[in-house]
Amino acid sequence: MKKQSTDILIIGAGLTGLALAYYLKQLNVSVILAEARDRIGGRIYTKQNANQAPVELGATWIAKEHSELLKLLKVLHLEVFEQFYGTTAIYEPSKTNPAQLVNLPQSNHANYRVTGGTQGIINALSEELEANQIITNCTIFSIEKHEGFISATSEVYKFKCKHIISTLPPYLFEKTIPIKPELPREVKELMKNTHTWMQDSIKIGFTFAAPFWKNEHTSGTIYSSVNALQEFYDHSSADGTLHALVGFMNTKFHSHTKEERQELALKQLEQYYGNQARHFLSYEELDWQDERFTTASCDRVIMPQQNNGHPIYKNSYLNKSLFIAGTETSAYASGKMEGALRSAQQVFTQIKSLL
C-alpha cells in the first residue's frame, strides 16, 4: 500500500471538490482529490460526440440568481447562453386528454446553459490544478482519527492528513465509508435521511441534424404526465448549428433496458413530430440509480430535498479534522450547481480560519 501525506484530502472530484481545491490554492497547503470514478465531474456529465450537440446527462441549468456560480464562470472565461423554450409547449395532462400545444406564460425567470457544455466548468477547474492532485479510480474505504492527524484508506493508498472533506452525497458517505470513532448518532441519522440529488433521475437525449421542433405549430418543450418522457427541452448548441432534445424519463422505466427506453422515447416523439423523430444521429442516456458512486441502495422513501441544507452540515467533526460538504449540505440552492459551489466556499472559509 502506498503511503501519501497531504494537508487536505478531498473525497470526490465533482464540482464541490474541484472548486474547493481551486479556492485552497490561495493557502499554503497541499491538497489531493480522491475520485472513485474513472472520470471527474461527479453529477456533471456532458456526453460529447463529434459534430453533434453536447448532451447534458447531469447538471444543466443555471438561474440568474446563481450569483456565485456566474461569478466563477466569468473568472474561468466560460460563457453562458439562454435556454430556448419557445412560446409554446406540448402538454399531456392525462390519459383522457391527447397531447396539445399550449402557450407558455411569459416569464422573467431565465435559465442558462454553459456554452460548449457544463463539463467545461469541470475541465476549467481541473486545469487550474496540478495533474498529480487528482487521483481517479480511488475509492475511499475507511476514515480513522488518530492523535494529531486523520487517515483515509483506499485499495492502493493510505492517506495521512490534517483535514478530510467528503463531498459525497451525505447518504452515500454514511452508507459506504465507516469512520472511527463514529460520528455522533444524530449526524449519522441525518445523513441516512438526506435526499440525494439526481438519484431518482433518468436523463436521455437525442441528437439530430435539424431542429424540426422549431417549426410552426410545434415545440421542443414537452411536459407529459402520462408518457415515458416527462420533460424534454431543446438542447441545441449556443451557435445554433448543432441540435438535440434532452430531458427526463419517468423512473418507473428503471428496470427496462437501454434499447427499450430508447424505443419508448421514440414512440412518444413520433406522436408529436411524425417519422422524422426516428432520424436521429445518436441516443444517450444515464440512469442515475445505477451510479454506485452517486447513490446506494435504500430501503425507505426519502423525499426530494429532505434534510438538504440542514444546519448540522455546517459543523466540523473529529476535532475539526472532518468536514461534510456537497450540494445537499448547502442551505442555499441545495441540489443545484450553485449549492455545490457555496458548500465549497463555506468549507474553504472554515479551513482558512483554522490555518
Side-chain angles (χ1 to χ4, degrees), residues 3-287:
K3 293 185 178 180
Q4 182 86 46
S5 293
T6 183
D7 291 326
I8 297 171
L9 177 71
I10 301 172
I11 303 174
L15 180 54
T16 301
L18 288 167
L20 178 57
Y22 171 74
Y23 294 136
L24 286 167
K25 286 177 62 179
Q26 302 172 36
L27 310 178
N28 186 28
V29 292
S30 56
V31 179
I32 289 177
L33 294 100
E35 169 55 53
R37 289 180 170 93
D38 59 2
R39 65 171 181 86
I40 60 174
R43 284 169 283 179
I44 291 178
Y45 183 46
T46 309
K47 187 68 171 66
Q48 302 273 9
N49 294 314
N51 302 315
Q52 295 179 24
V55 174
E56 301 287 12
L57 296 175
T60 304
W61 293 282
I62 303 168
K64 61 184 178 182
E65 294 83 10
H66 295 169
S67 56
E68 294 303 314
L69 181 55
L70 290 170
K71 285 179 192 174
L72 178 65
L73 294 181
K74 284 187 178 180
V75 172
L76 297 174
H77 307 292
L78 296 174
E79 297 181 351
V80 298
F81 66 104
E82 189 170 341
Q83 168 69 46
F84 174 79
Y85 294 107
T87 58
T88 59
I90 296 170
Y91 178 52
E92 286 183 290
S94 66
K95 290 183 178 180
T96 57
N97 291 314
Q100 53 194 291
L101 198 65
V102 299
N103 291 322
L104 285 172
Q106 289 188 342
S107 173
N108 294 323
H109 186 79
N111 284 316
Y112 300 91
R113 288 162 45 211
V114 178
T115 301
T118 310
Q119 193 75 31
I121 307 173
I122 299 302
N123 296 340
L125 286 170
S126 66
E127 287 168 7
E128 294 289 330
L129 306 176
E130 300 296 328
N132 61 3
Q133 285 187 260
I134 304 173
I135 305 174
T136 54
N137 297 301
C138 183
T139 305
I140 299 300
F141 293 135
S142 64
I143 293 172
E144 185 172 357
K145 182 72 174 77
H146 309 269
E147 185 67 34
F149 69 97
I150 186 169
S151 68
T153 305
S154 72
E155 191 172 288
V156 175
Y157 292 94
K158 179 86 169 186
F159 297 99
K160 181 180 179 182
C161 328
K162 293 179 182 176
H163 305 284
I164 292 177
I165 300 99
S166 169
T167 68
L168 306 184
Y171 181 85
L172 182 70
F173 183 36
E174 200 284 328
K175 289 279 283 188
T176 60
I177 303 181
I179 302 169
K180 290 177 62 177
E182 289 191 353
L183 295 178
R185 182 178 177 182
E186 63 270 22
V187 179
K188 290 168 63 69
E189 286 301 312
L190 180 71
M191 290 196 290
K192 286 178 184 177
N193 290 283
T194 297
H195 180 260
T196 298
W197 171 73
M198 288 299 286
Q199 72 173 17
D200 307 314
S201 296
I202 303 174
K203 284 201 77 175
I204 75 164
F206 292 94
T207 61
F208 295 94
F212 49 79
W213 53 90
K214 291 185 178 180
N215 296 337
E216 276 193 277
H217 310 302
T218 189
S219 175
T221 303
I222 299 167
Y223 300 109
S224 175
S225 301
V226 296
N227 257 312
L229 301 179
Q230 296 179 308
E231 296 179 35
F232 235 44
Y233 304 100
D234 172 80
H235 250 58
S236 298
S237 59
D239 61 6
T241 61
L242 303 171
H243 310 287
L245 289 171
V246 176
F248 297 88
M249 177 171 278
N250 192 313
T251 54
K252 74 179 183 181
F253 298 105
H254 167 69
S255 59
H256 287 55
T257 66
K258 179 179 180 179
E259 292 72 24
E260 288 170 337
R261 287 192 287 263
Q262 175 183 304
E263 183 58 26
L264 284 166
L266 286 172
K267 284 182 178 178
Q268 184 175 344
L269 294 178
E270 235 180 345
Q271 294 175 27
Y272 311 145
Y273 307 121
N275 185 254
Q276 61 190 335
R278 290 195 172 268
H279 300 303
F280 61 94
L281 301 175
S282 65
Y283 169 75
E284 307 294 344
E285 69 164 33
L286 185 52
D287 185 345

